[in-house]
Amino acid sequence: MNVPDNLKYTKDHEWIRVEGNVGIIGVTDYAQGELGDIVYVDIDPNIAEIKAGETFGTVEAVKTVSDLYAPVSGKVVELNKKLANEPQVVNSDPYGDGWMIKIEITDSGELSSLLDQEAYKNLIGQ
Amino acid sequence: MKKTTLYKIHEGLGAKLIDFAGYLMPVQYSSIIAEHKAVRNSVGVFDVSHMGEIFIKGPKALDFVQNITVNDASKLTIGRVQYSAMCYPDGGIVDDLLVYKLADDEFLLVVNASNKDKDFEWMKKNNSFGVEINDRSDDYSLLAVQGPKSKEVLSKICNKEIDLEYYHFFKAQVAGIDMILSRTGYTGELGYELYFEGDESVAENLWNKLFEAGKEFGIQPVGLGARDSLRLEMGFCLYGNDIDQTTNPLEAGLGWITKLNKECFIGKDAILKVKSEGLKRKLIALISDEKAFPRHGYEITSDGKVVGTITSGTVSPILEKAIAMGYVDANFAGVEAQLNFLIRNKEIPAKLTKLPFVKK
């Protein structure tokens, strides 16, 4: 299972990559593996902001559906439009082309409550 | 947790294994969608050894089967299979099953893994016919070889010409292993089920021979995930989802296997009563183009009012649409009803359709 060391993680299996005050968010390799074939990523196209710990959308797989939780709060600056037609890239490239939402982080202090690589590996039993 | 004779094979293939009815079973190997399409387009192999095999033997074996199942087993000749169900006296379903007529005095009842012990007790409790009831589930492995190329694959390694009609079986050797070869399945495709005894080495040998024979067709191992999506595309009921002890065969759309003109069987009176009073609810099939997918337990609404519940739902890998079965109040089971899936508090319009979802 791929768990990159340059990301922060939630216990709900989202990741966030921080670039300056911008955060890029997706779901982890472990999450995509557990979900199986992802057929739809449902995020309101008009979503303006997300709040730490609250759901901002859902991921539909053949077998199941899972909520998406915001790692930190922020103003939404971009959604990954590619996912509309190719949701399966979340399976094939969860940390790259499978990113879901880009935000402007409101309070960088919230980042400290997230899991680092080692803590996330522990969570998923690696 | 129990393991099937093919457990090591699944583990070696990197399957995702889950607890299903007390067995560690493969839910998927690579991808449910890829496995699903392999079965629709070519051929796939399922390990369904967790299913229960219960043998009924004795001079009154037919009487026993007639009493405990709803279909008419007297219509079976040796070598034929029948889809049937067992009911409680109140008409609720104990289990759905396959009935194999092995001999005039012997039947094989193939039941769901999750119900096996309950079924076995139910059979013993209702044995006023002095038949032998033998649960041989632990002795038998079961592979399902399903898909348009299944016959070609099996023909290469079977000692007999496979000229079986749908719901017929014979005893044969495949890969030199004695078995019951049955033209049955849970996918809607041409397909066969292979019942055989023996240890891991026997099962692994068969598995390997099947994959050798199927290589040219791109044969794939298929897990329980695709088994579920395949059966749902065909509208086949799954016990525990679409049918259970609270549903009767008529509302479940299983009137075609419920032979009410049969002399008597457990549950007949209650089912006759349901029939004369009219159905209160019906299992219906719904389809939607929206990209939100109905799941087991979600509600069905009409005009903002809850009128039913989804029992099975998913995205169809073939149609790429949301498909579902569920029970609705009988007043809303007609084509004029405007129905919705209630998905995360949003009403998603759905269209009533006829089964199967995927026409064969």
Side-chain angles (χ1 to χ4, degrees), chain A residues 40-75:
Chain A
Y40 187 52
V41 178
D42 185 11
I43 302 172
D44 178 358
N46 299 317
I47 189 169
E49 54 179 346
I50 61 174
K51 268 197 178 145
E54 293 188 6
T55 63
F56 65 90
T58 53
V59 187
E60 297 268 10
V62 179
K63 256 210 105 59
T64 188
V65 60
S66 182
D67 281 326
L68 294 165
Y69 292 93
V72 296
S73 309
K75 246 178 34 204

mmCIF file of all heavy atoms in Angstrom, chain A residues 40-75:
data_model
loop_
_atom_site.group_PDB
_atom_site.id
_atom_site.type_symbol
_atom_site.label_atom_id
_atom_site.label_comp_id
_atom_site.label_asym_id
_atom_site.label_seq_id
_atom_site.Cartn_x
_atom_site.Cartn_y
_atom_site.Cartn_z
ATOM 1 N N TYR A 40 -18.269 6.892 -9.466
ATOM 2 C CA TYR A 40 -18.745 8.279 -9.447
ATOM 3 C C TYR A 40 -18.216 8.998 -8.216
ATOM 4 O O TYR A 40 -18.250 8.467 -7.112
ATOM 5 C CB TYR A 40 -20.283 8.299 -9.439
ATOM 6 C CG TYR A 40 -20.869 9.680 -9.588
ATOM 7 C CD1 TYR A 40 -20.490 10.521 -10.630
ATOM 8 C CD2 TYR A 40 -21.814 10.143 -8.682
ATOM 9 C CE1 TYR A 40 -21.027 11.781 -10.767
ATOM 10 C CE2 TYR A 40 -22.381 11.410 -8.811
ATOM 11 C CZ TYR A 40 -21.980 12.230 -9.857
ATOM 12 O OH TYR A 40 -22.525 13.460 -9.988
ATOM 13 N N VAL A 41 -17.713 10.195 -8.444
ATOM 14 C CA VAL A 41 -17.311 11.045 -7.326
ATOM 15 C C VAL A 41 -18.302 12.194 -7.290
ATOM 16 O O VAL A 41 -18.412 12.968 -8.246
ATOM 17 C CB VAL A 41 -15.871 11.567 -7.502
ATOM 18 C CG1 VAL A 41 -15.495 12.485 -6.342
ATOM 19 C CG2 VAL A 41 -14.890 10.401 -7.606
ATOM 20 N N ASP A 42 -19.075 12.262 -6.232
ATOM 21 C CA ASP A 42 -20.184 13.206 -6.139
ATOM 22 C C ASP A 42 -19.828 14.366 -5.221
ATOM 23 O O ASP A 42 -19.914 14.245 -4.002
ATOM 24 C CB ASP A 42 -21.428 12.456 -5.620
ATOM 25 C CG ASP A 42 -22.665 13.347 -5.602
ATOM 26 O OD1 ASP A 42 -22.621 14.452 -6.169
ATOM 27 O OD2 ASP A 42 -23.675 12.923 -5.005
ATOM 28 N N ILE A 43 -19.393 15.459 -5.832
ATOM 29 C CA ILE A 43 -19.140 16.685 -5.065
ATOM 30 C C ILE A 43 -19.954 17.786 -5.726
ATOM 31 O O ILE A 43 -19.897 17.949 -6.955
ATOM 32 C CB ILE A 43 -17.633 17.059 -5.076
ATOM 33 C CG1 ILE A 43 -16.796 15.908 -4.493
ATOM 34 C CG2 ILE A 43 -17.397 18.346 -4.289
ATOM 35 C CD1 ILE A 43 -15.293 16.106 -4.637
ATOM 36 N N ASP A 44 -20.721 18.503 -4.931
ATOM 37 C CA ASP A 44 -21.551 19.585 -5.446
ATOM 38 C C ASP A 44 -20.683 20.565 -6.248
ATOM 39 O O ASP A 44 -19.756 21.159 -5.694
ATOM 40 C CB ASP A 44 -22.210 20.287 -4.239
ATOM 41 C CG ASP A 44 -23.053 21.472 -4.676
ATOM 42 O OD1 ASP A 44 -23.098 21.765 -5.892
ATOM 43 O OD2 ASP A 44 -23.658 22.099 -3.785
ATOM 44 N N PRO A 45 -20.988 20.751 -7.544
ATOM 45 C CA PRO A 45 -20.142 21.629 -8.370
ATOM 46 C C PRO A 45 -20.138 23.083 -7.876
ATOM 47 O O PRO A 45 -19.235 23.844 -8.218
ATOM 48 C CB PRO A 45 -20.756 21.521 -9.769
ATOM 49 C CG PRO A 45 -22.093 20.892 -9.603
ATOM 50 C CD PRO A 45 -22.085 20.131 -8.308
ATOM 51 N N ASN A 46 -21.131 23.441 -7.082
ATOM 52 C CA ASN A 46 -21.194 24.821 -6.583
ATOM 53 C C ASN A 46 -20.639 24.973 -5.169
ATOM 54 O O ASN A 46 -20.824 26.014 -4.536
ATOM 55 C CB ASN A 46 -22.638 25.320 -6.599
ATOM 56 C CG ASN A 46 -23.203 25.308 -8.004
ATOM 57 O OD1 ASN A 46 -22.525 25.713 -8.950
ATOM 58 N ND2 ASN A 46 -24.408 24.787 -8.151
ATOM 59 N N ILE A 47 -19.968 23.946 -4.705
ATOM 60 C CA ILE A 47 -19.467 23.979 -3.334
ATOM 61 C C ILE A 47 -18.475 25.137 -3.182
ATOM 62 O O ILE A 47 -17.585 25.331 -4.026
ATOM 63 C CB ILE A 47 -18.820 22.622 -2.963
ATOM 64 C CG1 ILE A 47 -18.493 22.541 -1.474
ATOM 65 C CG2 ILE A 47 -17.587 22.341 -3.815
ATOM 66 C CD1 ILE A 47 -18.109 21.121 -1.014
ATOM 67 N N ALA A 48 -18.651 25.959 -2.139
ATOM 68 C CA ALA A 48 -17.813 27.143 -1.970
ATOM 69 C C ALA A 48 -16.750 26.922 -0.905
ATOM 70 O O ALA A 48 -15.625 27.411 -1.023
ATOM 71 C CB ALA A 48 -18.677 28.340 -1.600
ATOM 72 N N GLU A 49 -17.154 26.233 0.156
ATOM 73 C CA GLU A 49 -16.146 25.968 1.190
ATOM 74 C C GLU A 49 -16.392 24.631 1.861
ATOM 75 O O GLU A 49 -17.477 24.063 1.761
ATOM 76 C CB GLU A 49 -16.111 27.102 2.219
ATOM 77 C CG GLU A 49 -17.454 27.418 2.840
ATOM 78 C CD GLU A 49 -17.328 28.551 3.863
ATOM 79 O OE1 GLU A 49 -16.199 28.891 4.263
ATOM 80 O OE2 GLU A 49 -18.357 29.081 4.274
ATOM 81 N N ILE A 50 -15.337 24.159 2.516
ATOM 82 C CA ILE A 50 -15.453 22.906 3.262
ATOM 83 C C ILE A 50 -14.990 23.170 4.694
ATOM 84 O O ILE A 50 -14.213 24.099 4.944
ATOM 85 C CB ILE A 50 -14.632 21.758 2.619
ATOM 86 C CG1 ILE A 50 -13.141 22.092 2.577
ATOM 87 C CG2 ILE A 50 -15.163 21.472 1.223
ATOM 88 C CD1 ILE A 50 -12.261 20.941 2.087
ATOM 89 N N LYS A 51 -15.525 22.344 5.600
ATOM 90 C CA LYS A 51 -15.205 22.531 7.020
ATOM 91 C C LYS A 51 -14.559 21.270 7.563
ATOM 92 O O LYS A 51 -15.043 20.167 7.305
ATOM 93 C CB LYS A 51 -16.487 22.805 7.802
ATOM 94 C CG LYS A 51 -16.817 24.256 7.936
ATOM 95 C CD LYS A 51 -17.840 24.451 9.044
ATOM 96 C CE LYS A 51 -18.162 25.920 9.222
ATOM 97 N NZ LYS A 51 -19.561 26.118 9.571
ATOM 98 N N ALA A 52 -13.485 21.449 8.306
ATOM 99 C CA ALA A 52 -12.729 20.318 8.847
ATOM 100 C C ALA A 52 -13.657 19.312 9.511
ATOM 101 O O ALA A 52 -14.499 19.689 10.335
ATOM 102 C CB ALA A 52 -11.695 20.812 9.852
ATOM 103 N N GLY A 53 -13.531 18.049 9.133
ATOM 104 C CA GLY A 53 -14.301 16.971 9.762
ATOM 105 C C GLY A 53 -15.685 16.780 9.186
ATOM 106 O O GLY A 53 -16.359 15.809 9.497
ATOM 107 N N GLU A 54 -16.122 17.699 8.312
ATOM 108 C CA GLU A 54 -17.466 17.568 7.741
ATOM 109 C C GLU A 54 -17.396 16.984 6.328
ATOM 110 O O GLU A 54 -16.390 17.102 5.653
ATOM 111 C CB GLU A 54 -18.176 18.925 7.744
ATOM 112 C CG GLU A 54 -18.455 19.385 9.170
ATOM 113 C CD GLU A 54 -19.321 20.638 9.225
ATOM 114 O OE1 GLU A 54 -19.797 21.081 8.158
ATOM 115 O OE2 GLU A 54 -19.498 21.141 10.336
ATOM 116 N N THR A 55 -18.508 16.366 5.904
ATOM 117 C CA THR A 55 -18.486 15.729 4.590
ATOM 118 C C THR A 55 -18.569 16.796 3.503
ATOM 119 O O THR A 55 -19.250 17.811 3.652
ATOM 120 C CB THR A 55 -19.672 14.756 4.405
ATOM 121 O OG1 THR A 55 -20.871 15.495 4.471
ATOM 122 C CG2 THR A 55 -19.669 13.690 5.479
ATOM 123 N N PHE A 56 -17.849 16.564 2.417
ATOM 124 C CA PHE A 56 -17.938 17.482 1.269
ATOM 125 C C PHE A 56 -18.369 16.754 0.005
ATOM 126 O O PHE A 56 -18.408 17.347 -1.075
ATOM 127 C CB PHE A 56 -16.619 18.224 1.066
ATOM 128 C CG PHE A 56 -15.438 17.373 0.680
ATOM 129 C CD1 PHE A 56 -15.145 17.121 -0.656
ATOM 130 C CD2 PHE A 56 -14.621 16.819 1.666
ATOM 131 C CE1 PHE A 56 -14.046 16.348 -1.020
ATOM 132 C CE2 PHE A 56 -13.517 16.038 1.307
ATOM 133 C CZ PHE A 56 -13.224 15.797 -0.034
ATOM 134 N N GLY A 57 -18.703 15.475 0.137
ATOM 135 C CA GLY A 57 -19.145 14.721 -1.032
ATOM 136 C C GLY A 57 -19.136 13.237 -0.727
ATOM 137 O O GLY A 57 -18.935 12.836 0.428
ATOM 138 N N THR A 58 -19.375 12.452 -1.771
ATOM 139 C CA THR A 58 -19.367 10.999 -1.604
ATOM 140 C C THR A 58 -18.652 10.346 -2.788
ATOM 141 O O THR A 58 -18.570 10.919 -3.872
ATOM 142 C CB THR A 58 -20.800 10.429 -1.528
ATOM 143 O OG1 THR A 58 -21.519 10.884 -2.668
ATOM 144 C CG2 THR A 58 -21.521 10.824 -0.272
ATOM 145 N N VAL A 59 -18.161 9.156 -2.524
ATOM 146 C CA VAL A 59 -17.563 8.347 -3.584
ATOM 147 C C VAL A 59 -18.419 7.103 -3.743
ATOM 148 O O VAL A 59 -18.654 6.381 -2.770
ATOM 149 C CB VAL A 59 -16.137 7.888 -3.214
ATOM 150 C CG1 VAL A 59 -15.487 7.199 -4.415
ATOM 151 C CG2 VAL A 59 -15.299 9.042 -2.762
ATOM 152 N N GLU A 60 -18.876 6.873 -4.956
ATOM 153 C CA GLU A 60 -19.678 5.684 -5.238
ATOM 154 C C GLU A 60 -18.798 4.630 -5.891
ATOM 155 O O GLU A 60 -18.169 4.882 -6.917
ATOM 156 C CB GLU A 60 -20.819 6.025 -6.205
ATOM 157 C CG GLU A 60 -21.830 7.022 -5.678
ATOM 158 C CD GLU A 60 -23.013 6.371 -4.976
ATOM 159 O OE1 GLU A 60 -22.964 5.145 -4.728
ATOM 160 O OE2 GLU A 60 -23.976 7.097 -4.676
ATOM 161 N N ALA A 61 -18.776 3.433 -5.296
ATOM 162 C CA ALA A 61 -18.113 2.296 -5.912
ATOM 163 C C ALA A 61 -19.194 1.278 -6.267
ATOM 164 O O ALA A 61 -20.352 1.453 -5.893
ATOM 165 C CB ALA A 61 -17.094 1.701 -4.956
ATOM 166 N N VAL A 62 -18.818 0.223 -6.995
ATOM 167 C CA VAL A 62 -19.837 -0.747 -7.393
ATOM 168 C C VAL A 62 -20.515 -1.311 -6.144
ATOM 169 O O VAL A 62 -21.732 -1.398 -6.068
ATOM 170 C CB VAL A 62 -19.221 -1.897 -8.220
ATOM 171 C CG1 VAL A 62 -20.298 -2.909 -8.591
ATOM 172 C CG2 VAL A 62 -18.587 -1.343 -9.483
ATOM 173 N N LYS A 63 -19.720 -1.671 -5.180
ATOM 174 C CA LYS A 63 -20.253 -2.375 -4.022
ATOM 175 C C LYS A 63 -20.767 -1.466 -2.920
ATOM 176 O O LYS A 63 -21.604 -1.862 -2.130
ATOM 177 C CB LYS A 63 -19.152 -3.262 -3.436
ATOM 178 C CG LYS A 63 -19.396 -4.705 -3.803
ATOM 179 C CD LYS A 63 -18.912 -5.720 -2.820
ATOM 180 C CE LYS A 63 -19.957 -6.381 -1.995
ATOM 181 N NZ LYS A 63 -21.006 -7.111 -2.646
ATOM 182 N N THR A 64 -20.228 -0.261 -2.850
ATOM 183 C CA THR A 64 -20.548 0.539 -1.677
ATOM 184 C C THR A 64 -20.422 2.032 -1.971
ATOM 185 O O THR A 64 -20.022 2.433 -3.050
ATOM 186 C CB THR A 64 -19.632 0.130 -0.501
ATOM 187 O OG1 THR A 64 -20.085 0.776 0.685
ATOM 188 C CG2 THR A 64 -18.194 0.502 -0.752
ATOM 189 N N VAL A 65 -20.764 2.828 -0.991
ATOM 190 C CA VAL A 65 -20.636 4.269 -1.117
ATOM 191 C C VAL A 65 -19.958 4.777 0.151
ATOM 192 O O VAL A 65 -20.140 4.210 1.220
ATOM 193 C CB VAL A 65 -22.019 4.933 -1.317
ATOM 194 C CG1 VAL A 65 -22.943 4.648 -0.155
ATOM 195 C CG2 VAL A 65 -21.898 6.429 -1.527
ATOM 196 N N SER A 66 -19.149 5.824 0.009
ATOM 197 C CA SER A 66 -18.421 6.321 1.168
ATOM 198 C C SER A 66 -18.438 7.838 1.171
ATOM 199 O O SER A 66 -18.330 8.478 0.122
ATOM 200 C CB SER A 66 -16.985 5.794 1.098
ATOM 201 O OG SER A 66 -16.276 6.215 2.225
ATOM 202 N N ASP A 67 -18.574 8.426 2.363
ATOM 203 C CA ASP A 67 -18.534 9.876 2.480
ATOM 204 C C ASP A 67 -17.095 10.377 2.386
ATOM 205 O O ASP A 67 -16.159 9.661 2.740
ATOM 206 C CB ASP A 67 -19.114 10.316 3.831
ATOM 207 C CG ASP A 67 -20.636 10.305 3.822
ATOM 208 O OD1 ASP A 67 -21.222 10.595 2.759
ATOM 209 O OD2 ASP A 67 -21.228 10.004 4.872
ATOM 210 N N LEU A 68 -16.955 11.617 1.940
ATOM 211 C CA LEU A 68 -15.651 12.280 1.912
ATOM 212 C C LEU A 68 -15.629 13.308 3.030
ATOM 213 O O LEU A 68 -16.553 14.111 3.153
ATOM 214 C CB LEU A 68 -15.465 12.987 0.563
ATOM 215 C CG LEU A 68 -15.370 12.070 -0.662
ATOM 216 C CD1 LEU A 68 -15.562 12.875 -1.943
ATOM 217 C CD2 LEU A 68 -14.031 11.343 -0.675
ATOM 218 N N TYR A 69 -14.584 13.281 3.850
ATOM 219 C CA TYR A 69 -14.472 14.216 4.971
ATOM 220 C C TYR A 69 -13.337 15.200 4.725
ATOM 221 O O TYR A 69 -12.248 14.817 4.284
ATOM 222 C CB TYR A 69 -14.221 13.455 6.270
ATOM 223 C CG TYR A 69 -15.413 12.625 6.691
ATOM 224 C CD1 TYR A 69 -15.519 11.285 6.307
ATOM 225 C CD2 TYR A 69 -16.444 13.188 7.445
ATOM 226 C CE1 TYR A 69 -16.617 10.531 6.670
ATOM 227 C CE2 TYR A 69 -17.548 12.437 7.819
ATOM 228 C CZ TYR A 69 -17.633 11.107 7.424
ATOM 229 O OH TYR A 69 -18.727 10.365 7.779
ATOM 230 N N ALA A 70 -13.609 16.438 5.040
ATOM 231 C CA ALA A 70 -12.602 17.475 4.843
ATOM 232 C C ALA A 70 -11.521 17.365 5.913
ATOM 233 O O ALA A 70 -11.830 17.362 7.105
ATOM 234 C CB ALA A 70 -13.268 18.858 4.913
ATOM 235 N N PRO A 71 -10.259 17.271 5.499
ATOM 236 C CA PRO A 71 -9.170 17.205 6.479
ATOM 237 C C PRO A 71 -9.049 18.521 7.264
ATOM 238 O O PRO A 71 -8.800 18.504 8.464
ATOM 239 C CB PRO A 71 -7.919 16.974 5.631
ATOM 240 C CG PRO A 71 -8.399 16.584 4.272
ATOM 241 C CD PRO A 71 -9.767 17.163 4.115
ATOM 242 N N VAL A 72 -9.194 19.639 6.546
ATOM 243 C CA VAL A 72 -9.131 20.966 7.176
ATOM 244 C C VAL A 72 -10.184 21.855 6.503
ATOM 245 O O VAL A 72 -10.758 21.485 5.483
ATOM 246 C CB VAL A 72 -7.729 21.623 7.000
ATOM 247 C CG1 VAL A 72 -6.654 20.816 7.719
ATOM 248 C CG2 VAL A 72 -7.389 21.784 5.520
ATOM 249 N N SER A 73 -10.398 23.026 7.071
ATOM 250 C CA SER A 73 -11.367 23.957 6.494
ATOM 251 C C SER A 73 -10.717 24.786 5.385
ATOM 252 O O SER A 73 -9.505 25.012 5.415
ATOM 253 C CB SER A 73 -11.896 24.911 7.571
ATOM 254 O OG SER A 73 -12.329 24.158 8.684
ATOM 255 N N GLY A 74 -11.538 25.224 4.450
ATOM 256 C CA GLY A 74 -10.968 26.063 3.408
ATOM 257 C C GLY A 74 -11.979 26.503 2.376
ATOM 258 O O GLY A 74 -13.114 26.036 2.345
ATOM 259 N N LYS A 75 -11.543 27.461 1.546
ATOM 260 C CA LYS A 75 -12.365 27.942 0.439
ATOM 261 C C LYS A 75 -12.030 27.116 -0.789
ATOM 262 O O LYS A 75 -10.865 26.942 -1.118
ATOM 263 C CB LYS A 75 -12.033 29.415 0.165
ATOM 264 C CG LYS A 75 -13.197 30.307 0.467
ATOM 265 C CD LYS A 75 -12.971 31.783 0.290
ATOM 266 C CE LYS A 75 -12.042 32.238 -0.804
ATOM 267 N NZ LYS A 75 -11.479 33.587 -0.501
#
